[in-house]
Amino acid sequence: EALHLDPIEKTLIVNRYVHLVTTTRRDSSWTTILFLTFTNMITIGGVIIVAFLTLEKVALFGEQVSQALFWTSLSLSISVTIANKLLYSFNIAKKYLFNGVLLAKYESEGWLFLAGTGKYNVDMSTRTRLFLDRIEKIYIKSIEIMTTMDGAAANNKEQTSRPDDSAHGGLHSSQTINDSILATGSKHVAAQHADSAAVSVPDNVVN
């Protein structure tokens, strides 16, 4: 009301600007949650897996505890690998940063418009048209950038070669941990077969 906008200008600002800010804020919240969840899962999970494998190798515990450590490490390793793959395949890290910058840009334009400062230091009619034009340009540019991100994500999914170290170092670490876990698991299976064979010998002798 203090800006003395006519009904059409109010409707345009509410239906376009307010809607874009609300949508961008929601997207920013989701990408923030996903980014923090996956990155913390990868970091903490990797540390726990290494600790469990170390405890298992030094053989400080009995067979049952060793088995529990093995299966827990395997489950954590799978979770870390999936989180790492999702984080980079869908460009969540880039979208997390981009949505934050985009939201700040929308809010900055809104404050400049309300205050009538900078490029908005003109009469109200010109200010409103300039504001709506600026918001639309920001939106179109954001669509172009997001499309480029989605295209890059699609290319990442189609790649079958091993990811390079600079972009996917965490995935290499997960693969190394997986190999270690599988090697340990093979030892457990071999030990169980050996125990079974040892138990079956007396039965054959008795028969």
Side-chain angles (χ1 to χ4, degrees), residues 31 34-35 38 86-97:
T31 51
L34 291 175
F35 175 76
F38 288 152
L86 291 175
L87 183 65
Y88 289 102
S89 294
F90 294 97
N91 278 330
I92 293 176
K94 291 182 179 179
K95 291 180 179 179
Y96 157 72
L97 296 174

Side-chain angles (χ1 to χ4, degrees), residues 36 132 134 145 153:
L36 294 178
L132 293 174
R134 286 283 302 166
I145 295 175

Side-chain angles (χ1 to χ4, degrees), residues 51-129:
F52 281 2
L53 289 177
T54 301
L55 290 175
E56 187 177 3
K57 287 181 179 180
V58 297
L60 294 177
F61 307 101
E63 183 64 23
Q64 290 184 347
V65 176
S66 181
Q67 287 283 351
L69 290 175
F70 164 72
W71 289 112
T72 302
S73 299
L74 180 61
S75 300
L76 286 174
S77 179
I78 294 173
S79 300
V80 167
T81 303
I82 292 174
N84 188 85
K85 186 65 177 177
L86 291 175
L87 183 65
Y88 289 102
S89 294
F90 294 97
N91 278 330
I92 293 176
K94 291 182 179 179
K95 291 180 179 179
Y96 157 72
L97 296 174
F98 174 74
N99 285 330
V101 173
L102 180 61
L103 179 60
K105 183 62 177 176
Y106 279 140
E107 292 176 343
S108 175
E109 289 292 330
W111 281 114
L112 290 175
F113 170 73
L114 292 175
T117 59
K119 53 184 170 291
Y120 296 111
N121 188 16
V122 291
D123 62 273
M124 182 54 64
S125 179
T126 303
R127 186 197 307 183
T128 303
R129 291 197 302 271

Side-chain angles (χ1 to χ4, degrees), residues 110-172:
W111 281 114
L112 290 175
F113 170 73
L114 292 175
T117 59
K119 53 184 170 291
Y120 296 111
N121 188 16
V122 291
D123 62 273
M124 182 54 64
S125 179
T126 303
R127 186 197 307 183
T128 303
R129 291 197 302 271
L130 178 60
F131 174 70
L132 293 174
D133 179 69
R134 286 283 302 166
I135 293 303
E136 198 64 25
K137 287 181 179 178
I138 294 172
Y139 171 71
I140 295 300
K141 186 64 177 178
S142 69
I143 292 298
E144 294 174 355
I145 295 175
M146 194 65 69
T147 301
T148 302
M149 288 184 183
D150 291 338
N155 291 334
N156 289 337
K157 294 178 185 178
E158 293 175 357
Q159 289 179 353
T160 56
S161 59
R162 186 185 181 96
D164 54 71
D165 294 335
S166 60
H168 300 281
L171 187 58
H172 292 172

